Amino acid sequence: MSDEIEKLKMHSPDLTQDNIAKIRALFPGCVTEAAGEDGKLRLAVDFDQLRQELSDSIVEGPQERYHLNWPGKREALITANAPIAKTLRPARNESVDFDTTQNLFIEGDNLEALKLLQETYLGKVKMIYIDPPYNTGKDFIYSDNFSEGSDAFLTRSNQVDETGNRLVANTLSNGRFHSDWLSMMYSRLKLARNLLADDGVILASIDDAETANLKRLLDEVFGEDNFIDTIAVEMSTTSGPKTVNAQQGTIVKNVEFVHVYRRTAEFDKKPHTPLFDGIDTYDTHYSVWLNNDGTLGTLSEKLLADEKVGADIKRFDLLRRNAFSINDINQLLALSEAAKEFIDSNLESIARIDRPPVSAGGQTPPMGRWEKFEAEHRTYYLTTLQNGTLQALMPLSLNFRMSDDYKPRFGRTVIRGDLWKGFHQDMGNVAKEGSMAFANGKKPVRLIKQLVRWANNSDGGIVMDFFAGSGTTGHAVMQANAEDGQARKFVLVQLDEEPDPKSEAAKAGFKTIAEISRERLRRAGSKLLEGECHSEWNKDVGFRSIKIDSSNMADVFYTPDQTSQADLLSRVDNIKPDRTAEDLLFQVLLDWGVDLTLPIRRETVQGKTVFFVDDTALMACFDDGISEDLVKELAGHAPMRIVFKDTGFADDQTKINVRQIFKAMSPDTEVKAI
């Protein structure tokens, strides 16, 4: 075994080769070797043989099958799998609590970001929420140029200088109007699926222009069996100008949609927080009173018999023939605080008669008396009727709780299904949420926060949004944590796209939407710290800002066969001269798949700068002139991983001895170099 220090590859994984390896494990005879454009042998799939392996009859040619197809789909898949020589560079001056925060903000193209995060976040993200650009014919979308030639591919893989824009207008006159949008989404969803944990979930907002196409795309990427539901969110009402259109017979648009897909069935094994909508009126079916001896009375009699409530019934002229009717209870509750207090204090005694739960089958309570029955974490009461059938009492306590409506209050509720009403009330102020005037497609914080809570994303779970916009998802995560004391973390990705020149944000001096998003997170975090919060909240309102950039490694690192002897003499150091030690550290974290939000400490050891990531999870020293004494001192810390600069050792003998020193002092340490 060679003692030479192993080199980090310093680029994103080649997912095509990873996928071929998986096919090889299942069908060894379907993978062969083929020469690439450079003449080197690579693994390749024998697709004819694979088709035959998956068929129970002889395959002679293309077969008809049900699937989603469009021009550019295969190119989009190739684009998703192709490696890139990019990195993430830290931006301390744009961050908040850089060294300690668990949150991440990435500026750059989200396709590149998703590729760079493949190893670090593989199977670790608990929830992905995205609100991609809607395909209206006016919005800009990410242009991945799926028909690009080899020169363009070299540009995109960072082997020549970058040129051109990342955005194009996808106008309705474009013959590939739907195809371009689908290709853009397909490559990103393929990569995003890899990041989701087995018990994770993805939620995608969309309007009616692409809702059908997006659902079929999600069916293909995540599997139809993993479809949970499509939520219809009431974002507006039929009022104002919409009323005129409706009166003319037009069906006006009031809802947008959120498609919900799990990663696997593991998601269903976790408890998910139900959501409740407040109901202003009292349900008069809750009209009976359960006495302590198991017999029944009426709520009307109990209200009238109460000294304070009875006085209010008479005072507000609600007494009819010396009796109080349950049909007048809404009027009473609107006028009498005593009546409200009475209801609040007797939720277990007030009930309605209903069919028993299925799990009550086989119970034999006595006739004429009501006995307690526990089922599905709820308390019911059962009795047997004269015909031998069961009947149940449902206490008011089962649907009396804190609501999730626009003005949260404690009261009667109904559990919410896939119609989420009332969010139109948020839309009047949504443009200014987070103290940032940004109107383009913003979603209410309350909507994202409720999705986070429904998914039960707690215990430090990661929430990702790779179409971050103004940062609503990050704001919602921080606010949810402040309210319930959880420690969820966010990863946001936003392109350095210019805002509309006529927008308030542009007039305020913001040059990119990423700048807007970061400033919103700063302001939202500060405001949360000023208000009331849960006693167990860790108060992490920071974010580590990093930016996608060309690799820290000089071109010679990736294309040594194209470098002359004279070039080698002038490029002893294979690192670009404008890159800092912290830049190198983050590329190492990416390449090694280490969490990008682990705490970082910088110390001076024997005159050299040494980075300690989460103490000893990873140590790094990129200085020149590293001696054996320094190597021995660092080995004494017994880190899990350590990395040096390949050209950083004081002499060749020290470089040769590094592995031997660690074998002797810290044999479990992984030692690598860049």
Side-chain angles (χ1 to χ4, degrees):
M1 179 180 174
S2 172
D3 285 333
E4 185 176 343
I5 302 174
E6 185 181 352
K7 299 285 184 66
L8 288 160
K9 62 182 181 295
M10 308 299 278
H11 59 70
S12 68
D14 186 340
L15 297 183
T16 298
Q17 290 297 300
D18 289 348
N19 290 336
I20 291 174
K22 293 172 185 175
I23 292 174
R24 190 181 197 183
L26 292 172
F27 305 105
C30 296
V31 177
T32 183
E33 292 182 350
E37 293 182 3
D38 56 2
K40 295 181 180 179
L41 289 177
R42 293 168 63 87
L43 293 178
V45 176
D46 182 341
F47 288 103
D48 289 334
Q49 184 63 30
L50 180 60
R51 280 193 292 268
Q52 187 61 70
E53 286 275 6
L54 301 176
S55 175
D56 58 0
S57 59
I58 296 175
V59 176
E60 296 180 352
Q63 301 293 312
E64 291 181 346
R65 63 191 188 280
Y66 179 79
H67 70 132
L68 177 63
N69 206 1
W70 67 89
K73 181 178 182 179
R74 284 178 293 181
E75 289 87 349
L77 183 57
I78 292 171
T79 300
N81 290 336
I84 57 170
K86 294 279 185 113
T87 191
L88 294 172
R89 298 181 67 186
R92 278 183 170 271
N93 62 327
E94 296 177 352
S95 305
V96 176
D97 301 330
F98 182 92
D99 288 323
T100 58
T101 183
Q102 295 286 292
N103 302 316
L104 201 61
F105 184 92
I106 301 172
E107 178 179 318
D109 189 314
N110 55 14
L111 181 66
E112 296 173 345
L114 290 167
K115 289 186 178 189
L116 291 171
L117 298 177
Q118 287 295 297
E119 294 193 28
T120 305
Y121 288 98
L122 183 68
K124 294 180 180 178
V125 177
K126 289 297 183 74
M127 171 180 164
I128 295 175
Y129 171 79
I130 56 172
D131 183 18
Y134 293 174
N135 202 8
T136 63
K138 297 177 182 178
D139 289 334
F140 282 91
I141 66 166
Y142 293 67
S143 174
D144 300 314
N145 195 9
F146 302 108
S147 60
E148 64 192 1
S150 59
D151 291 342
F153 178 77
L154 291 175
T155 299
R156 291 172 54 73
S157 59
N158 196 39
Q159 296 180 48
V160 296
D161 292 338
E162 293 184 350
T163 57
N165 297 320
R166 278 193 294 262
L167 298 174
V168 295
N170 193 36
T171 61
L172 286 164
S173 60
N174 178 7
R176 291 168 52 94
F177 178 73
H178 290 291
S179 297
D180 283 349
W181 191 88
L182 282 168
S183 291
M184 182 272 292
M185 291 299 299
Y186 185 50
S187 54
R188 287 158 176 81
L189 290 173
K190 289 284 287 185
L191 293 167
R193 181 179 180 273
N194 298 337
L195 304 183
L196 269 185
D198 284 344
D199 59 352
V201 64
I202 183 169
L203 307 106
S205 285
I206 197 67
D207 71 348
D208 46 9
E210 295 289 358
T211 185
N213 280 334
L214 180 58
K215 186 179 183 306
R216 292 190 65 193
L217 201 59
L218 289 162
D219 282 341
E220 177 165 324
V221 174
F222 290 89
E224 290 184 61
D225 290 346
N226 291 316
F227 171 65
I228 294 176
D229 209 327
T230 295
I231 301 169
V233 184
E234 185 185 34
M235 303 295 278
S236 66
T237 57
T238 306
S239 58
K242 288 188 175 184
T243 304
V244 177
N245 293 332
Q247 288 173 339
Q248 294 173 348
T250 301
I251 299 177
V252 299
K253 176 183 171 183
N254 290 330
V255 301
E256 293 185 2
F257 307 97
V258 180
H259 293 312
V260 186
Y261 283 75
R262 65 189 184 189
R263 176 67 171 82
T264 72
E266 289 297 311
F267 178 79
D268 296 337
K269 297 178 182 178
K270 298 282 185 177
H272 300 292
T273 305
L275 299 175
F276 299 93
D277 289 316
I279 303 298
D280 292 330
T281 58
Y282 186 88
D283 184 350
T284 54
H285 290 96
Y286 287 91
S287 60
V288 300
W289 182 275
L290 179 63
N291 295 311
N292 292 333
D293 62 359
T295 60
L296 293 186
T298 69
L299 174 59
S300 297
E301 292 171 347
K302 291 293 181 181
L303 287 168
L304 187 57
D306 183 86
E307 183 179 352
K308 292 181 179 179
V309 180
D312 279 350
I313 290 174
K314 295 171 184 175
R315 182 158 62 100
F316 297 122
D317 196 23
L318 296 175
L319 196 62
R320 305 283 186 270
R321 297 178 182 176
N322 294 321
F324 173 72
S325 170
I326 194 68
N327 294 326
D328 293 328
I329 192 169
N330 281 307
Q331 190 175 355
L332 175 64
L333 292 172
L335 299 170
S336 171
E337 288 299 321
K340 291 180 183 177
E341 292 174 6
F342 182 89
I343 297 293
D344 291 350
S345 302
N346 293 284
L347 300 176
E348 292 295 334
S349 298
I350 302 168
R352 66 180 171 88
I353 296 174
D354 207 336
R355 290 177 297 179
V358 174
S359 55
Q363 297 294 313
T364 57
M367 191 179 301
R369 293 180 64 84
W370 297 86
E371 290 191 347
K372 186 178 292 186
F373 175 71
E374 300 286 343
E376 300 151 5
H377 309 291
R378 297 180 177 188
T379 301
Y380 301 87
Y381 294 88
L382 299 177
T383 193
T384 302
L385 301 177
Q386 287 186 346
N387 62 7
T389 61
L390 290 177
Q391 198 166 57
L393 277 183
M394 309 298 188
L396 182 56
S397 59
L398 294 182
N399 78 338
F400 203 88
R401 55 179 60 80
M402 181 63 73
S403 67
D404 267 323
D405 60 1
Y406 185 61
K407 296 178 180 178
R409 59 178 177 77
F410 196 73
R412 198 174 73 81
T413 61
V414 292
I415 196 163
R416 189 183 302 168
D418 57 10
L419 174 60
W420 288 25
K421 295 180 66 65
F423 286 92
H424 64 89
Q425 298 172 93
D426 301 68
M427 296 305 292
N429 190 51
V430 72
K432 295 183 180 179
E433 277 193 341
S435 303
M436 295 295 295
F438 182 80
N440 294 357
K442 268 174 104 175
K443 293 294 182 292
V445 170
R446 185 168 67 100
L447 173 62
I448 313 304
K449 186 173 62 175
Q450 291 189 12
L451 291 172
V452 167
R453 285 182 171 156
W454 167 79
N456 195 24
N457 188 11
S458 56
D459 301 325
I462 298 170
V463 180
M464 174 177 280
D465 183 348
F466 50 87
F467 289 100
S470 68
T472 303
T473 299
H475 185 171
V477 168
M478 291 190 295
Q479 187 168 313
N481 288 343
E483 292 173 359
D484 61 22
Q486 295 293 335
R488 306 172 187 89
K489 299 174 280 191
F490 64 75
V491 176
L492 305 185
V493 184
Q494 176 54 42
L495 187 67
D496 52 341
E497 175 187 356
E498 294 182 3
D500 183 343
K502 298 178 182 178
S503 67
E504 291 186 43
K507 293 175 183 176
F510 292 101
K511 294 182 175 59
T512 68
I513 293 176
E515 282 187 18
I516 296 169
S517 188
R518 283 190 293 263
E519 181 59 23
R520 186 219 180 129
L521 293 173
R522 294 186 195 102
R523 296 182 186 183
S526 296
K527 189 171 182 180
L528 287 170
L529 291 176
E530 293 170 359
E532 292 185 12
C533 58
H534 197 282
S535 60
E536 297 180 10
W537 180 37
N538 62 14
K539 298 187 178 180
D540 184 1
V541 295
F543 57 90
R544 188 171 283 180
S545 181
I546 53 181
K547 298 184 179 184
I548 298 174
D549 204 338
S550 60
S551 173
N552 296 313
M553 315 310 290
D555 292 346
V556 64
F557 181 85
Y558 295 104
T559 56
D561 56 322
Q562 299 177 13
T563 306
S564 67
Q565 189 68 29
D567 290 331
L568 287 174
L569 293 175
S570 66
R571 298 183 181 181
V572 175
D573 194 340
N574 58 17
I575 298 166
K576 292 177 181 176
D578 65 332
R579 301 306 167 94
T580 67
E582 200 160 61
D583 289 336
L584 299 179
L585 175 64
F586 269 79
Q587 188 155 358
V588 167
L589 294 176
L590 272 178
D591 200 69
W592 229 322
V594 178
D595 188 342
L596 298 175
T597 62
L598 289 176
I600 298 172
R601 188 176 78 254
R602 186 193 302 235
E603 291 186 7
T604 301
V605 182
Q606 296 188 21
K608 306 299 181 184
T609 299
V610 180
F611 292 97
F612 293 79
V613 180
D614 199 22
D615 290 329
T616 57
L618 183 146
M619 292 170 57
C621 182
F622 304 114
D623 285 1
D624 294 324
I626 295 172
S627 65
E628 282 197 23
D629 287 342
L630 175 60
V631 173
K632 290 177 181 177
E633 183 171 346
L634 297 180
H637 288 273
M640 291 176 59
R641 313 171 185 87
I642 193 164
V643 62
F644 301 97
K645 191 168 63 170
D646 191 50
T647 59
F649 298 100
D651 50 54
D652 289 341
Q653 192 59 44
T654 301
K655 181 177 178 180
I656 292 170
N657 291 340
V658 167
R659 287 183 62 87
Q660 295 303 323
I661 292 171
F662 273 91
K663 279 182 181 179
M665 298 183 64
S666 182
D668 294 330
T669 299
E670 288 186 71
V671 184
K672 292 191 179 182
I674 62 171

